[in-house]
Amino acid sequence: MIELIQEYWLYFLVGQYPNGPLGGLSLTILLSGAALLLAMPLGLMLGIARVSPYRAVRWPAAALVQVVRAVPLLLVVFWAYFFLPAVTGVKTGQATTMLMTLVLFDAVYLAEIVAAGIRALPKGQMESARSLGLGYFAALRLVLLPQALKNVLPSLVNQLVSTIKATSLGYIIGLSEVSFIATQVNTLVFTKAVEVYIILALTYFVLCFGLSRLAFMLERRLGRRATPVAPISL
């Protein structure tokens, strides 16, 4: 296993770059981070729509979220890569296809995270903001959303973990992310399949476990700040 790491570590890390497109672990991390960042504005809007007092806004957002969550990500990747080019005549590359798919899925899950963060706040927050003369959207922007987004930071990190694992589905369309690179390495060293996939599993474990611990520490820190200190009786 040590020999495999010494010989192929750079290939695992960046794929064929700079002699070819970026791949490997670098592409996995870059794709996951970009998908989450690009999904945040859409997820934020959908999350606000999910808690809107207006049915005309709340119901379409809820329908979109439920439909996307009910469809397997693998199926959406197939649709985006094979079906959409046949209909529109515009073919996108593997990385672009996977990025668009991940943005869509991240957006609907972020919508649920944002909506849950807003619902978890005391109802008096909105009432207090409105009593100060703020409109509905001003109260959301200035009072509710800053608190809600702060409280859901651990969930955002966990969503990044889910996105990192979801990038492995890019393998089916030939995207050279880290699991695809591992398969290529396994083809080169056919007799060491166990070692190759142990290295791949350890790579995912270290990355995802580290982020999960970060989410746990954020949750504990936010919990300590939210816990009121009991007064000392004399």
Side-chain angles (χ1 to χ4, degrees):
M1 186 180 298
I2 301 299
E3 294 177 357
L4 277 175
I5 295 174
Q6 289 176 343
E7 186 170 357
Y8 293 104
W9 70 270
L10 187 59
Y11 192 41
F12 266 105
L13 187 61
V14 296
Q16 298 177 353
Y17 187 82
N19 300 318
L22 182 68
L25 185 60
S26 298
L27 179 60
T28 295
I29 296 174
L30 182 63
L31 197 60
S32 305
L36 195 64
L37 287 175
L38 291 174
M40 280 185 178
L42 179 58
L44 188 61
M45 289 188 294
L46 286 173
I48 293 173
R50 290 281 281 128
V51 296
S52 173
Y54 307 105
R55 292 181 181 179
V57 175
R58 187 173 68 249
W59 286 5
L64 175 62
V65 168
Q66 295 304 325
V67 167
V68 174
R69 291 182 66 185
V71 178
L73 178 58
L74 181 62
L75 185 58
V76 179
V77 173
F78 273 125
W79 282 349
Y81 193 67
F82 297 108
F83 178 69
L84 285 182
V87 173
T88 63
V90 179
K91 184 173 179 59
T92 57
Q94 294 99 328
T96 304
T97 300
M98 199 64 202
L99 180 61
M100 292 189 300
T101 306
L102 290 174
V103 166
L104 176 62
F105 264 73
D106 277 345
V108 298
Y109 281 98
L110 289 176
E112 292 295 277
I113 291 171
V114 171
I118 294 174
R119 292 190 186 108
L121 296 175
K123 294 182 179 180
Q125 294 279 340
M126 175 61 79
E127 296 171 359
S128 300
R130 296 299 297 272
S131 67
L132 293 174
L134 296 176
Y136 177 78
F137 290 105
L140 271 177
R141 181 172 58 88
L142 299 175
V143 180
L144 272 71
L145 279 180
Q147 298 179 73
L149 293 178
K150 178 182 175 182
N151 292 336
V152 301
L153 276 176
S155 298
L156 294 179
V157 178
N158 286 328
Q159 183 59 35
L160 177 59
V161 172
S162 299
T163 307
I164 288 173
K165 292 185 286 187
T167 57
S168 61
L169 293 177
Y171 171 86
I172 63 172
I173 58 174
L175 180 66
S176 59
E177 41 76 44
V178 66
S179 60
F180 184 84
I181 294 296
T183 303
Q184 290 186 319
V185 172
N186 181 52
T187 304
L188 296 174
V189 286
F190 189 70
T191 59
K192 297 183 179 180
V194 174
E195 289 89 339
V196 169
Y197 288 108
I198 286 177
I199 293 172
L200 177 63
L202 288 175
T203 301
Y204 276 116
F205 174 78
V206 170
L207 185 59
C208 295
F209 181 74
L211 288 171
S212 297
R213 293 301 301 175
L214 174 61
F216 177 72
M217 288 188 291
L218 284 171
E219 189 174 0
R220 289 188 61 183
R221 185 172 182 181
L222 291 171
R224 284 198 301 267
R225 288 184 177 182
T227 303
V229 179
I232 301 175
S233 53
L234 300 175

